[in-house]
Amino acid sequence: MTASTSLSQDELKTLVGRAALDYVVPGEIVGVGTGSTVNKFIDALATVKERIGGAVSSSEASTARLKALGIPVLDANEVASLSVYIDGADEIDGRGYMVKGGGAALTREKIVAALAQRFVCIADESKLVSVLGAFPLPVEVIPMAASQIARRFESLGGQATLRLRDGRPLVTDNGQHILDVRGLAIGDPLAFESEVNQWPGVVTVGVFAHQKAHVCLLGTAQGVRTLKF
């Protein structure tokens, strides 16, 4: 499908959301992520809901949207594996490594991604980068550890700030807080993810390298560009 150069970012998200239907395995349960691009996929998924066994969702928001459209939602503990997980990204590089968590759902996203045999990332072309880190890196933390984790990022050259909502610390679906870290250039995402995961008080770091994308459907002015990693 060819798109005109006048397509808005919203229209590009619709385009990749629909394209992701090609990766949904008939009769199986599909892993569903979180965010504005995924919402377009959920809307498209509703048009073929009779062909799937249901969904495992990565957030309360996505669960509510899926249920409102008549798509059954299963708990992650009820499934041993998923054929595919479809989610967006805040950044993705040329190897399929991503930064995720702008929508505050990174922990559940990583849990569902780990169940899936294949991760299909859906994004517009503005998310494709050469080096991860320009987008502030989300890190879900246990509140009592936030300050010491922020200091550890400072030692790496980053500046960590507590994410707020309405002037108060944002509380995730898991009851935790989020630090957004600016000023990083993440040249080795696998090593970086492994290191930060070991810091006491870190619930999840928003680098998805161990759970990388296998395919990225990128919305461009010329249509959907498929990247495989």
Side-chain angles (χ1 to χ4, degrees), residues 133-151:
F135 186 91
L137 174 68
V139 186
E140 186 163 350
V141 300
I142 292 171
M144 71 175 286
S147 291
Q148 67 168 289
I149 292 167
R151 288 192 293 271

Side-chain angles (χ1 to χ4, degrees), residues 18-32:
R18 289 174 180 162
L21 289 181
D22 290 343
Y23 293 84
V24 174
V25 181
E28 295 203 7
I29 298 158
V30 58
V32 177

Side-chain angles (χ1 to χ4, degrees), residues 32-113:
V32 177
T34 300
S36 57
T37 307
V38 173
N39 285 342
K40 302 293 188 183
F41 167 66
I42 293 173
D43 294 345
L45 191 63
T47 67
V48 298
K49 61 186 176 185
E50 69 284 347
R51 297 187 216 161
I52 63 170
V56 172
S57 162
S58 70
S59 69
E60 303 292 348
S62 288
T63 295
R65 193 179 189 96
L66 287 159
K67 287 182 174 178
L69 292 168
I71 299 170
V73 179
L74 291 83
D75 187 281
N77 288 306
E78 297 179 72
V79 300
S81 69
L82 298 166
S83 56
V84 67
Y85 176 59
I86 295 171
D87 200 1
D90 298 306
E91 289 184 328
I92 183 166
D93 71 10
R95 296 169 290 179
Y97 299 143
M98 298 166 287
V99 165
K100 294 173 48 53
L106 61 160
T107 297
R108 296 190 186 193
E109 288 171 349
K110 200 170 274 193
I111 290 167
V112 183

Side-chain angles (χ1 to χ4, degrees), residues 16 21 35 50 53-54 70 76-77 80 88 93 102 114 148 166-167 169 179 185 192 197 204:
V16 295
L21 289 181
E50 69 284 347
N77 288 306
D93 71 10
Q148 67 168 289
D166 301 325
L179 292 173
F192 182 90
N197 276 341
T204 303

